[in-house]
């Protein structure tokens, strides 16, 4: 089977949860699917391409890079729905999109899209006006409806997709994000020693992560002896 993967989210200027998801998932996918051929799709005009050599060490993986600006690809996927990425990549059985970037495929190609959340539709006030415009432009609801299967990283997100996008329940598969086994049992080297009492949050800085409430909670908890809580967001 020929499986295409849209890894354009790795070209984002800031490393975030989607990039972490792709970087950890793909190597395991390549090892589990040795009988399949994987074709990675990237496109960039002005932005420098990331280093994808870590993926290309697998014999069943190849990279196809284009210099088509993504804004044009986003627009053309709507009016009209071209180019069809499966044909651009030489023919695919399945296209996997780890994020809801707009992309069109022919009727012969199945499309699988991962949705990590739809907070941008439920809590738009937590996003900047630029982010809100971008989400309206890429139209995640359309990407969900045009997908044959949707991967949801949680049951909460699945219920949000059913409620807000009116998707059929059997179209959505809940697949939890995995754990990087290389980090298990390892000690993290910190540049400076940490105090015995601290809270750790793993997230980007932004209103939707509610970091201010975490700081307020810390100020309450630090009054108690034996603080040893660790939170991850």
């Amino acid at each position: 089977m020929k499986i295409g993967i849209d890894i354009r989210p790795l070209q984002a200027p800031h490393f975030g949860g989607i990039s972490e998801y792709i970087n950890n998932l793909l190597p395991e996918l390549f090892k589990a699917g040795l009988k399949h051929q994987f074709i990675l799709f990237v496109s960039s005009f002005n932005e420098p391409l990331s280093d994808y050599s870590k993926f290309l060490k697998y014999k069943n993986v190849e990279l196809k890079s284009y210099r088509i600006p993504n804004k044009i690809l986003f627009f053309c996927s709507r009016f009209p729905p071209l180019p069809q990425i499966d044909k651009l990549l030489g023919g695919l059985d399945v296209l996997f999109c780890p994020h809801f970037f707009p992309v069109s495929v022919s009727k012969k190609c199945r499309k699988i899209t991962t949705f990590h959340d739809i907070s941008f539709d439920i809590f738009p006030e937590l996003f900047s006006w630029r982010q809100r415009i971008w989400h309206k432009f890429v139209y995640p609801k359309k990407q969900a409806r045009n997908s044959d299967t949707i991967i949801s990283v949680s049951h909460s997100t699945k219920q949000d997709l059913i409620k807000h996008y009116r998707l059929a329940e059997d179209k959505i598969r809940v697949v939890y994000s995995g754990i990087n086994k290389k980090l298990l049992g390892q000690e993290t080297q910190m540049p400076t020693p940490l105090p015995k009492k601290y809270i750790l949050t793993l997230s980007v800085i932004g209103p939707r992560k509610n970091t201010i409430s975490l700081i307020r909670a810390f100020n309450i908890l630090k009054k108690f002896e034996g603080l040893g809580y660790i939170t991850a967001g």
Side-chain angles (χ1 to χ4, degrees), residues 5-13 39-50 52 62-76 82-83 85 88-89 95 101-103:
I5 304 178
D6 184 356
I7 60 171
R8 288 178 294 165
L10 292 179
Q11 298 173 231
I39 302 175
L40 308 181
F41 169 67
V42 294
S43 185
S44 175
F45 185 68
N46 293 321
E47 298 176 2
L49 295 178
S50 301
Y52 305 114
E62 65 176 299
L63 174 73
K64 291 198 174 182
S65 175
Y66 298 86
R67 291 186 58 81
I68 307 172
N70 279 302
K71 290 181 180 179
I72 292 179
L73 286 175
F74 291 167
F75 181 82
C76 289
L82 293 172
I85 300 301
L88 189 66
L89 298 181
L95 176 67
F101 274 17
V103 61

Side-chain angles (χ1 to χ4, degrees), residues 1-70:
M1 181 182 293
K2 294 181 67 175
I3 304 172
I5 304 178
D6 184 356
I7 60 171
R8 288 178 294 165
L10 292 179
Q11 298 173 231
H14 303 291
F15 188 92
I18 307 298
S19 300
E20 185 73 12
Y21 174 77
I22 296 173
N23 282 326
N24 285 283
L25 173 64
L26 295 197
E28 300 302 320
L29 191 61
F30 300 151
K31 288 184 286 187
L34 294 176
K35 296 181 179 179
H36 304 295
Q37 178 185 2
F38 296 91
I39 302 175
L40 308 181
F41 169 67
V42 294
S43 185
S44 175
F45 185 68
N46 293 321
E47 298 176 2
L49 295 178
S50 301
D51 180 14
Y52 305 114
S53 58
K54 57 188 173 185
F55 299 140
L56 299 179
K57 67 180 183 180
Y58 298 94
K59 294 182 179 180
N60 57 338
V61 178
E62 65 176 299
L63 174 73
K64 291 198 174 182
S65 175
Y66 298 86
R67 291 186 58 81
I68 307 172
N70 279 302

Side-chain angles (χ1 to χ4, degrees), residues 1-4 86 92-97 103-113 146-150 170-171 173:
M1 181 182 293
K2 294 181 67 175
I3 304 172
D86 58 313
L92 301 173
D93 297 298
V94 179
L95 176 67
F96 171 48
C97 302
V103 61
S104 300
V105 296
S106 68
K107 294 181 179 180
K108 296 180 179 180
C109 179
R110 294 180 61 81
K111 181 181 175 184
I112 301 173
T113 306
N146 288 347
S147 298
D148 296 282
T149 301
I150 291 175
D170 59 2
K171 182 177 182 176
R173 306 284 183 87

